[in-house]
Amino acid sequence: WGGRRSGMPGPAPRHVFVGGVHRSGTSLLAGLVKAHPAVSGQRILGMPAELEDEGQHVQCVYPVDDALGGAGVMAHNPLSHMTESHPLATPESAAQLEAAWAPHWEPTAEPAKVRLEKSPSNLLRTRFLQALWPNSYHLIIVRHPIAVAYATAAWAARHGGGKAALKPEQVLAFATHWCRAHEVLAADLAQLKHVRIVRLEELVFSAAATQSTLNAIFEDLGLPAVPLEQLVAGAGKGAIAADINRKYWRAFRDESEWLSEAFAAIEPSFGRFGYSIASLGVDKSRLLAPSLDTATPSMDASTPSMDTSTPSLDASTPSVDTSTSSMDALDGRDGGAVAMRLPGTQGAGGATTVSGPRQLLAHSALPSGDSSGGSATHVN
């Protein structure tokens, strides 16, 4: 346990940080990865289930997501983006975080080689965390911004926002927040040494896709592959729905012409991550945008090409009921994505300009909040 064998200290476990905007699938991905027998996640006794054992809540080095504005807002807060030039990017900060997290690492079936911490806002401080732990590995999950916008609206409606959270203006505000968060990510990618981007829609495409994604992640980390059935059981999850975005697509199609035009204005920011407003699938041809260098040698060339128009799961997927009575009609679960390693290219880190009614974002009437639900099958 904890990197020790036969009473002798072994190499320190490698830090893995999982991040992504709320409702993107961070909990699903983190749960599957930390089900590996050599990966230690965090279990924080006494923590409310809705805080999902996230390490951000037991440290005092950087602000937690709620303090930054919470789901659908935090990326607009200048304090959310932390890099190696931040005054707190010091060995002392690393030591403080190590001390804060030390009591909460779970024991592992095999000597721990990896310690995984999941907080959505890790998306915005990859370079800061890399400065603290130069060999750290950053696992970022992305999901179609339209699906994220509607899922965030549904979550906000249940957590104090009421019907106002479902207004078209607020849905657009959440989508524009997605753009801002991923502009930051795209600009930071070129500075990261060890990063993998996982798209939720591809992760959940089939059992084979999920297994392929996880195999690639474990290979990056120098860990042996583990059968998907074992990981699903260890994560406490069941079958993962492949059509996770379908209900959001129906909702989007029924929206007003004004909202459709507004989404079209910010669509250029979607493309670099393979998304468009034409569907809630993945358009791989759009990944040729210069901000993401898909030809990089670190990309897993063995990852199969997925046709995301197929909604059905592979019949061999472990049976799990993804329906949850506590979910609203517009609230979905995390999906997955084919693992892609996209460190970016030199000179391609410039932020994409987002046009649209940003005034809606500055003074959101919605309560700030973090990822919802303690159920292992909920999507962040």
Side-chain angles (χ1 to χ4, degrees):
W1 290 2
R4 295 180 179 272
R5 291 178 187 270
S6 304
M8 298 295 292
R14 186 178 186 182
H15 282 283
V16 171
F17 295 101
V18 176
V21 296
H22 297 78
R23 318 312 299 172
S24 289
T26 55
S27 295
L28 173 67
L29 181 60
L32 291 170
V33 173
K34 71 180 183 180
H36 192 288
V39 176
S40 176
Q42 293 182 321
R43 180 59 55 87
I44 304 170
L45 298 179
M47 176 171 283
E50 62 269 20
L51 299 184
E52 300 191 1
D53 293 312
E54 293 173 354
Q56 62 169 320
H57 299 297
V58 292
Q59 56 78 44
C60 57
V61 172
Y62 47 77
V64 299
D65 294 1
D66 281 358
L68 295 169
V73 177
M74 65 182 182
H76 294 295
N77 189 327
L79 297 177
S80 67
H81 186 211
M82 302 175 71
T83 71
E84 62 281 345
S85 63
H86 195 283
L88 291 175
T90 64
E92 291 73 21
S93 292
Q96 289 180 39
L97 289 168
E98 293 277 17
W101 292 338
H104 308 295
W105 296 118
E106 293 185 285
T108 51
E110 299 176 4
K113 295 184 178 179
V114 167
R115 286 177 174 164
L116 182 149
E117 193 281 316
K118 186 273 288 186
S119 294
S121 53
N122 286 342
L123 168 80
L124 302 169
R125 53 174 170 264
T126 52
R127 290 165 59 184
F128 173 81
L129 295 169
Q130 178 177 262
L132 271 53
W133 294 282
N135 195 40
S136 58
Y137 178 86
H138 303 272
L139 191 53
I140 307 299
I141 189 162
V142 299
R143 184 185 189 182
H144 198 296
I146 293 175
V148 168
Y150 279 100
T152 305
W155 177 88
R158 294 196 314 277
H159 289 79
K163 292 183 178 180
L166 301 175
K167 290 182 177 180
E169 295 87 350
Q170 193 60 62
V171 172
L172 178 62
F174 289 139
T176 310
H177 172 264
W178 185 101
C179 293
R180 174 55 188 158
H182 291 81
E183 287 169 5
V184 171
L185 172 63
D188 285 348
L189 283 174
Q191 306 302 319
L192 301 178
K193 294 185 292 185
H194 308 290
V195 60
R196 180 175 286 271
I197 304 295
V198 175
R199 293 199 299 272
L200 182 64
E201 294 80 9
E202 293 174 329
L203 176 66
V204 300
F205 178 80
S206 67
T210 307
Q211 183 76 73
S212 176
T213 299
L214 295 170
N215 287 352
I217 293 169
F218 296 144
E219 182 178 1
D220 288 347
L221 297 172
L223 302 176
V226 173
L228 179 60
E229 293 81 0
Q230 179 180 335
L231 297 172
V232 169
K237 301 183 185 299
I240 303 164
D243 58 348
I244 51 169
N245 292 343
R246 178 178 293 177
K247 58 189 167 187
Y248 303 118
W249 180 238
R250 290 198 300 265
F252 177 65
R253 287 186 304 177
D254 292 341
E255 287 288 5
S256 65
E257 182 178 351
W258 172 85
L259 185 60
S260 297
E261 292 177 353
F263 267 98
I266 63 174
E267 185 184 23
S269 290
F270 302 177
R272 64 178 62 193
F273 289 91
Y275 298 120
S276 75
I277 62 172
S279 76
L280 264 65
V282 177
D283 179 1
K284 290 181 181 295
S285 67
R286 296 171 66 87
L287 289 175
L288 298 178
S291 60
L292 296 182
D293 179 14
T294 56
T296 177
S298 60
M299 183 177 175
D300 177 19
S302 65
T303 301
S305 176
M306 302 287 174
D307 177 5
T308 56
S309 64
T310 305
S312 60
L313 273 175
D314 187 286
S316 63
T317 302
S319 175
V320 175
D321 179 7
T322 58
S323 63
T324 303
S325 58
S326 64
M327 289 291 190
D328 285 351
L330 285 178
D331 188 0
R333 295 177 177 275
D334 286 357
V338 166
M340 296 181 61
R341 198 161 181 179
L342 303 171
T345 54
Q346 224 27 47
T352 300
T353 300
V354 176
S355 56
R358 283 189 178 275
Q359 65 272 21
L360 294 171
L361 304 169
H363 304 290
S364 173
L366 297 179
S368 63
D370 209 49
S371 50
S372 69
S375 170
T377 52
H378 282 201
V379 173
N380 264 6

